[in-house]
Amino acid sequence: MSVLTYKRVPYLKAYIHVLAIMPLVYLGLAIDADALGGDPVQAVIHFLGKGALNLLVLTLVISPLAKRYKEGLLISTRRLIGLYCFFYASLHLTAFAWLDLGWDIGLLFQELVKRPYIWLGMIAFVILLLLALTSPMWARRKMQRNWQKLHNLIYLAAILTPLHYYLSVKSGWIEPIIYALLMVFLLLQRRKS
């Protein structure tokens, strides 16, 4: 018997909103308390990037969970979590462009040449942007079969983001490897179904 009912879906979505916003409240409090360590700019950028990555993982976990536990209504939360993933990715990119580069476009182009992992992150961001722009139901109806083709790019983003993370860290490569293995596992699960 299904635990999630139509009446419970709005409560679950409200809970998702609260859980998605709480890390930003925590980050704001940490900034206010000057508790982000020796390099607060990098701490903010990485915090927001990992938030986007965690939400991307959660977005990919929903379908296998819904299928495994026969909770079809769980799928209705995927768009909301995906939009929060895009929101965190946007904050991550904004923090990088503003706090790290001071909105200097010339410096951004230098960074793109010097650090190829930024290209991977930018490609993943563009994918998330396209998915966010086409997430409303009217876009899905208008695009018809092309909508699913476009939204399958989430799998490319799932590969690019852990790679971007791995190449961006100077030390501590274990966590990005765990994310990469988790993404591979989730993508293999999707292939089986």
Side-chain angles (χ1 to χ4, degrees):
M1 184 172 141
S2 185
V3 174
L4 192 58
T5 63
Y6 283 105
K7 285 184 179 180
R8 291 181 179 164
V9 169
Y11 296 106
L12 178 59
K13 287 185 176 182
Y15 189 62
I16 290 168
H17 282 294
V18 170
L19 289 177
I21 295 298
M22 281 176 59
L24 295 177
V25 172
Y26 167 81
L27 181 61
L29 293 171
I31 291 169
D32 189 53
D34 198 22
L36 292 176
D39 193 350
V41 168
Q42 288 305 309
V44 168
I45 292 169
H46 286 291
F47 182 90
L48 295 169
K50 279 198 340 198
L53 189 52
N54 288 330
L55 287 161
L56 181 58
V57 168
L58 192 55
T59 303
L60 292 172
V61 162
I62 289 173
S63 290
L65 279 180
K67 186 173 183 179
R68 170 77 173 93
Y69 294 104
K70 296 176 178 50
E71 291 287 350
L73 289 175
L74 194 56
I75 297 295
S76 67
T77 64
R78 191 171 50 192
R79 181 173 75 169
L80 177 61
I81 296 169
L83 288 171
Y84 269 114
C85 174
F86 169 69
F87 177 61
Y88 271 78
S90 298
L91 292 176
H92 172 66
L93 179 59
T94 301
F96 173 68
W98 176 32
L99 301 175
D100 212 18
L101 304 180
W103 299 114
D104 186 336
I105 300 296
L107 189 55
L108 174 63
F109 285 118
Q110 288 175 20
E111 289 293 305
L112 286 170
V113 171
K114 222 175 5 176
R115 302 180 203 317
Y117 69 85
I118 294 174
W119 280 104
L120 300 174
M122 291 299 287
I123 293 167
F125 178 78
V126 168
I127 290 169
L128 294 176
L129 172 64
L130 292 173
L131 300 185
L133 291 174
T134 59
S135 70
M137 193 52 79
W138 63 264
R140 184 176 191 162
R141 280 193 294 267
K142 189 167 183 144
M143 292 179 70
Q144 297 175 356
R145 279 190 233 143
N146 292 326
W147 184 88
Q148 188 59 57
K149 289 177 186 172
L150 176 67
H151 280 249
N152 284 342
L153 288 175
I154 192 74
Y155 306 123
L156 178 58
I159 294 166
L160 294 176
T161 48
L163 190 55
H164 165 75
Y165 182 23
Y166 174 78
L167 295 172
S168 71
V169 293
K170 291 165 183 64
S171 62
W173 52 269
I174 293 173
E175 193 172 353
I177 294 292
I178 291 170
Y179 276 109
L181 292 173
L182 184 58
M183 291 296 194
V184 168
F185 173 75
L186 289 170
L187 294 177
L188 288 174
Q189 289 297 106
R190 298 283 297 181
R191 258 190 105 169
K192 287 180 186 175
S193 55

